[in-house]
Structure formats: structure tokens, C-alpha cells
Amino acid sequence: MANSHKSILAIETYRIDPVHSTISFKVKHMMINHSLGRFNQFDGQVHFDPHDLSDSSIQMIIQPESIDTHNKERDEHLKGFDFLNISQFPIITFNSTSITKLLGRCTIVGDLTIKGITKSVSLHAHIEGPVKNHNGEHVVGITGEMVINRKDFGISFDKVIEGRPMVDDSVKIDINIEAKR
């Protein structure tokens, strides 16, 4: 019982700092090149125990309305029915279910919900900190990547040109989070 109480006291809550964080993605276009994008609006918390990562957790809420591929026409298409359908599904969420560390690398397993469909995913990551920033605030950093199959989340756009899919099924998502308390 004493260990459990000690562990609860060691957990600190950090808020994701959107100024120093990015959530980006890339997907093959026509199977010859990658289209890149990011979400400009997201929020979340990191509950962090630097002594026992198994007690730590991450929750994020992403606003798909903020998708940005540097092409307004493509962004509008991605927000629509063929892809994210933001009028019906205005948020994307991620809630970790476990964090483990082996040989300096972390695996963050969690539930990712896109278009109302929840799947367990693994984020291969590095967690750094806490350290103090220039304002004296404690900060932690989480950098990682995962690959998802967009069709697992109901994103089934399947246009083919000259035998080539316009959009690959695999989407690589990069997470670069700085959170502060």
C-alpha cells in the first residue's frame, strides 16, 4: 500500500504546449512520392512518473479541422466525406493504455479514435525530461512515430489512376510533443 501511495505522489501532470509541439503525417501519393501534412490544433496532458513509466499516461485531442497540407483544395478534400468527415467526426483522440521502456526506447500503446473507430496502436518513442525551460517550468518531451492503415479507421478513398492508387493505405504519423507543468 505504501508503494502505491508513493507512486501516485510521483505522478506529475504536464499540459501539451502547442507552440513547441507538432503532429504531422506523410502518405505516399501515386506510389511515387509522399504528401506531407500536419494538424495545427491539438491539446492534451501527460501524466508522468519519471521513476516508473508504467504509471505514466498520455491523452490527446486533435482537431481535424486544422489539417494543413499547404494546399487549401486538398485540405478541404481531406476534411470531407472521402477522408476525415469532420462534420460528423470533429475530433481525433489518443489515450495511452501502457508505456514501457526497453533499452532506452519506449513503446506507448494506446487507443486511437478516428472517424468514431477506435483501434489499439503502438507509438515507438523517446521520452526526455523533466528539465526546466527558460521560464523555470518543468517540461518533458515525447518524440515518436507510428504507422497506421487508414482503412482500419474507415478512410477508404480508393481512386486509382493508370493502375496506381492515388493514396497509399499506410500513413506514417510523427509525434513531437513538449509538455509543461
Side-chain angles (χ1 to χ4, degrees):
M1 184 79 162
N3 286 345
S4 191
H5 181 66
K6 217 182 224 186
S7 188
I8 290 170
L9 293 177
I11 297 174
E12 298 170 336
T13 300
Y14 293 77
R15 189 125 196 107
I16 293 175
D17 177 3
V19 172
H20 295 105
S21 302
T22 58
I23 299 174
S24 59
F25 61 89
K26 74 178 184 178
V27 61
K28 274 196 165 183
H29 179 255
M30 299 296 299
M31 306 311 284
I32 60 169
N33 192 17
H34 285 95
S35 290
L36 307 174
R38 61 184 280 160
F39 294 99
N40 292 323
Q41 295 175 357
F42 50 89
D43 193 11
Q45 295 183 55
V46 177
H47 302 283
F48 185 64
D49 181 346
H51 306 292
D52 187 359
L53 286 179
S54 67
D55 288 335
S56 301
S57 64
I58 301 165
Q59 296 83 38
M60 292 190 297
I61 297 173
I62 301 165
Q63 307 298 323
E65 169 71 30
S66 72
I67 198 165
D68 181 0
T69 64
H70 300 291
N71 181 293
K72 190 174 184 164
E73 187 177 317
R74 178 174 45 216
D75 293 348
E76 291 306 313
H77 189 203
L78 292 173
K79 293 175 191 178
F81 184 79
D82 284 340
F83 289 92
L84 296 171
N85 192 7
I86 66 167
S87 63
Q88 188 173 352
F89 304 101
I91 63 170
I92 295 170
T93 62
F94 175 81
N95 293 295
S96 68
T97 55
S98 70
I99 301 176
T100 56
K101 187 171 187 175
L102 182 63
L103 302 174
R105 191 127 166 110
C106 296
T107 300
I108 302 169
V109 176
D111 294 329
L112 178 64
T113 302
I114 301 174
K115 288 183 71 175
I117 299 170
T118 302
K119 298 285 182 182
S120 181
V121 297
S122 293
L123 176 69
H124 304 287
H126 289 282
I127 299 176
E128 305 289 339
V131 299
K132 284 189 180 179
N133 67 11
H134 65 284
N135 291 325
E137 300 165 305
H138 289 91
V139 296
V140 294
I142 302 168
T143 303
E145 63 184 40
M146 71 175 94
V147 177
I148 63 168
N149 184 321
R150 65 184 175 86
K151 290 184 177 179
D152 289 346
F153 295 93
I155 302 171
S156 57
F157 179 78
D158 273 339
K159 190 167 183 180
V160 175
I161 298 176
E162 294 185 7
R164 292 180 176 269
M166 277 188 68
V167 181
D168 194 13
D169 294 346
S170 294
V171 180
K172 181 181 174 196
I173 301 171
D174 288 311
I175 307 289
N176 293 284
I177 298 296
E178 188 172 303
K180 60 186 177 181
R181 68 170 179 94

